[in-house]
Amino acid sequence: MSTPLTAQQTPATRRRERWPLLVHTAALLPLLVAIADLLLGRLTVNPIQDLTHRSGYTALVLLVASLACTPISMVFGFKRVLTLRRPLGLYGFGYALVHMLIFVVVDFGLDITLIWQEVAEKRYILAGMAALLLLIPLAITSTSGWQRRLGRRWRLVHRLVYLAVPLAVIHYIWLVKADIREPLLYAALVILLLLLRLGPLRRAITTWRRRLSS
Amino acid sequence: MVRDNTTSESDDDMIKIPSSEIPPELVYHDRRRFLRSFGVLTAGALALGACGSLPGAAAPPPTVLPGATDGATDELGDPLNSFEQITNYNNFYEFTTEKQGVAALAQGLRTAPWNLEVGGLVRNPRTFAIEDLLTQYDQEERIYRLRCVEAWSMVIPWQGFPLHKLLAVVEPTAEARYLRFETLYDPEQMPGQRSSWFSWPYVEGLRLDEAMHDLTLLSTGLYGRTLLPQNGAPIRLVVPWKYGFKSIKSIVKIDLVAEMPTSLWMAAAPNEYGFYANVNPDVAHPRWTQATERRIGEYSRRPTLPFNGYAEQVAELYADLDLRVNY
């Protein structure tokens, strides 16, 4: 995780700052585009459904991107990318939260009976809800303060993401009507990103990279 | 089978004005209504300019302005959806699975010449040219609700003629129990058909008594205009008490058969789509609630009605069926 910035900034640390800036811009772009499309009436004639799809898709992309940071740093020895895990994960959670709120508040108008019926009836909603619930403790403990307080246990807690993202992908696979090529692509990507974290593979990659650089 | 005398009836109707003098877009059954629409035409145009309708919606310049039937409602008092809504939000997987992308991709569909072949277990198998269907059969306006299985719905002013009129001409034999409909198969024109996820062409089916029901329409137009490709030009089925996917588009073939046909959706996901697909709020679909729906243009959901509100007319067709099993 990124260390809090101190008063004495070197040119190198200032360069480091640009990275999160890029992430902030990229992550906020879908929101800005959605607002623009809302104002211009470009959200199809079924705007609620369109917003639901957009927010869910963006959440998934950001969460997978967050999951990709560690393997990228491993394979390419690109340490700075690790600082992006937190903002990417938090933005992903933010979009997932908006996604759920659109469903609960806008689409179903807080009608608890109807919502309960939906959640109980549809396995894809259960998967999505589970993914979001798992992300909540991660978002809360994402601050440096919580990281310090939890110490070793922090990493353990944050491994929940290895469960949450696959659940989000399952949510996506189950909701698509027929052509599940794209959801399966995400599934393959997530499986790869998780496999790369496994001990033996991880060590093999690190040794291989050391040999390359020496 | 009763001989078809409706054809001659409609001929009588048309005799006064040679059909060549009426632009096909303007063939309204009810002339008074047609004249009335002209009255609101100017008002409609002004309103359209004021609200700007849907920016980015790629509707071609309309012959009859959308809104010509403004103020009209279905029999339950619900207003029509706009021409823009109906022509820019379409499920037509032959082009793309993106509902808002169909209109643009479908523009090039060649709808003339177009033949509709009707055969199988009939006494008079026939191939109809689309222009013959348009002139031989009186084109009525029918305002129907369309309920998509994805839990959205619209109210649409269709033109067309009841399928039973066509069946009366071809005369199904005693063995005929079902109808099997087929959409055009032409991957050159319909890029979605290159996807191997479905067993193209699109196939749908009806029981003979469902097909004979007066509500079952072969539609050739909507809002007083010829059908646009995205809505299933030049001829499509409309079965208002069933989920939208039953209302097969751009039909080239109708076969009368003895066995229940397997539709494209039944083949793709048998656990999700049955043959009947009657709108039923009590039978859930794994992905979409069927208890409620969003009427396009409305903010909150509304309850879905059994048989999409046509229970009074059609429920008796299914008196002997357990609709939970035969979904």
Side-chain angles (χ1 to χ4, degrees):
Chain A
M1 283 290 113
S2 61
T3 44
L5 291 169
T6 49
Q8 68 276 57
Q9 284 185 6
T10 63
T13 55
R14 224 173 286 136
R15 211 178 307 132
R16 204 178 296 160
E17 273 177 84
R18 259 182 241 153
W19 276 90
L21 190 71
L22 196 73
V23 168
H24 292 307
T25 319
L28 287 172
L29 203 63
L31 178 69
L32 295 177
V33 171
I35 292 172
D37 283 346
L38 179 71
L39 296 175
L40 294 170
R42 282 198 303 227
L43 292 174
T44 79
V45 299
N46 199 352
I48 298 174
Q49 192 184 56
D50 197 25
L51 284 176
T52 307
H53 289 170
R54 286 183 191 213
S55 54
Y57 192 80
T58 311
L60 182 68
V61 169
L62 290 170
L63 288 171
V64 171
S66 167
L67 214 54
C69 293
T70 305
I72 287 174
S73 136
M74 265 162 53
V75 175
F76 301 103
F78 202 42
K79 284 248 165 357
R80 262 191 290 160
V81 89
L82 292 177
T83 61
L84 305 184
R85 286 177 299 186
R86 175 156 63 184
L88 283 171
L90 277 174
Y91 276 118
F93 172 73
Y95 278 99
L97 195 66
V98 168
H99 179 65
M100 184 273 281
L101 287 174
I102 292 174
F103 168 72
V104 170
V105 181
V106 185
D107 198 350
F108 281 86
L110 285 172
D111 186 327
I112 300 302
T113 330
L114 265 184
I115 294 167
W116 178 245
Q117 198 184 334
E118 282 283 300
V119 175
E121 258 174 19
K122 315 270 185 303
R123 54 180 190 172
Y124 83 89
I125 298 182
L126 274 176
M129 282 288 181
L132 183 67
L133 288 177
L134 287 174
L135 287 175
I136 292 173
L138 307 200
I140 292 172
T141 60
S142 66
T143 60
S144 308
W146 271 104
Q147 203 174 352
R148 252 195 325 275
R149 242 170 290 164
L150 287 173
R152 286 179 147 275
R153 277 169 305 166
W154 188 88
R155 302 195 85 180
L156 219 62
V157 172
H158 279 249
R159 282 191 182 150
L160 282 177
V161 78
Y162 303 151
L163 203 59
V165 180
L167 275 168
V169 174
I170 289 171
H171 167 71
Y172 187 21
I173 294 174
W174 279 348
L175 72 86
V176 168
K177 216 198 242 180
D179 187 348
I180 54 169
R181 273 175 298 183
E182 200 177 347
L184 286 182
L185 206 72
Y186 276 94
L189 187 61
V190 168
I191 289 170
L192 177 76
L193 294 176
L194 293 182
L195 281 179
L196 285 172
R197 288 173 156 82
L198 288 180
L201 250 175
R202 194 174 192 147
R203 276 190 294 279
I205 292 168
T206 331
T207 342
W208 162 78
R209 193 164 41 76
R210 282 217 194 94
R211 212 174 300 146
L212 272 188
S213 53
S214 67
Chain B
M1 267 300 135
V2 195
R3 275 305 299 174
D4 175 40
N5 50 17
T6 39
T7 321
S8 52
E9 234 174 62
S10 62
D11 283 343
D12 288 346
D13 239 22
M14 304 298 277
I15 264 163
K16 291 146 201 160
I17 316 166
S19 60
S20 58
E21 282 178 29
I22 318 171
E25 293 84 358
L26 299 180
V27 182
Y28 257 109
H29 173 48
D30 183 340
R31 289 203 195 84
R32 250 175 310 161
R33 167 186 202 98
F34 169 71
L35 292 173
R36 193 151 34 89
S37 342
F38 255 110
V40 292
L41 206 73
T42 3
L46 288 172
L48 207 70
C51 69
S53 73
L54 263 186
T63 333
V64 171
L65 275 176
T69 339
D70 265 359
T73 63
D74 64 5
E75 80 285 6
L76 303 178
D78 287 317
L80 301 183
N81 279 95
S82 72
F83 184 79
E84 278 84 358
Q85 289 169 332
I86 297 167
T87 55
N88 285 290
Y89 196 70
N90 314 93
N91 268 323
F92 203 168
Y93 281 21
E94 277 78 349
F95 294 99
T96 169
T97 53
E98 300 283 326
K99 283 180 273 293
Q100 60 275 27
V102 173
L105 278 169
Q107 282 324 299
L109 182 71
R110 287 187 298 274
T111 53
W114 190 282
N115 287 328
L116 173 60
E117 191 187 329
V118 188
L121 302 172
V122 293
R123 275 189 207 96
N124 313 314
R126 274 188 63 180
T127 298
F128 299 89
I130 185 68
E131 45 297 359
D132 294 339
L133 290 173
L134 280 164
T135 48
Q136 281 172 22
Y137 296 93
D138 198 5
Q139 309 291 311
E140 315 168 16
E141 190 184 62
R142 299 274 185 102
I143 296 176
Y144 284 160
R145 292 172 290 286
L146 178 118
R147 168 60 158 80
C148 180
V149 73
E150 295 168 1
W152 53 267
S153 62
M154 295 193 190
V155 181
I156 303 176
W158 301 104
Q159 294 117 241
F161 55 94
L163 175 58
H164 65 73
K165 290 194 178 180
L166 189 105
L167 291 175
V169 173
V170 296
E171 294 187 54
T173 64
E175 298 85 66
R177 290 191 55 219
Y178 294 93
L179 279 81
R180 183 184 179 280
F181 301 82
E182 216 175 283
T183 295
L184 174 71
Y185 178 70
D186 185 355
E188 291 273 305
Q189 293 197 76
M190 297 177 148
Q193 289 179 334
R194 288 174 215 152
S195 154
S196 49
W197 281 94
F198 300 102
S199 49
W200 304 108
Y202 198 95
V203 169
E204 259 309 335
L206 287 180
R207 226 166 53 186
L208 184 57
D209 59 342
E210 297 175 323
M212 291 298 292
H213 196 283
D214 190 57
L215 282 178
T216 306
L217 196 71
L218 276 177
S219 170
T220 54
L222 60 86
Y223 256 114
R225 303 186 51 188
T226 326
L227 274 188
L228 290 176
Q230 60 267 38
N231 296 109
I235 188 158
R236 65 167 296 165
L237 186 69
V238 183
V239 195
W241 72 91
K242 292 176 181 283
Y243 293 119
F245 65 85
K246 290 295 286 185
S247 294
I248 184 170
K249 294 170 164 178
S250 304
I251 309 170
V252 290
K253 201 170 167 201
I254 303 175
D255 272 325
L256 278 288
V257 292
E259 303 293 327
M260 179 185 284
T262 304
S263 72
L264 175 133
W265 282 110
M266 285 162 77
N271 57 324
E272 294 182 19
Y273 305 100
F275 174 79
Y276 287 97
N278 292 319
V279 174
N280 190 342
D282 299 328
V283 175
H285 181 276
R287 269 188 290 275
W288 304 282
T289 178
Q290 302 303 9
T292 60
E293 66 197 53
R294 166 155 294 103
R295 180 65 46 83
I296 295 300
E298 286 181 359
Y299 186 71
S300 50
R301 288 178 171 259
R302 50 164 73 211
T304 289
L305 304 172
F307 297 104
N308 202 21
Y310 301 97
E312 211 176 291
Q313 292 96 317
V314 300
E316 58 180 354
L317 292 174
Y318 310 101
D320 310 330
L321 271 187
D322 181 352
L323 292 171
R324 289 191 162 272
V325 183
N326 298 284
Y327 51 84

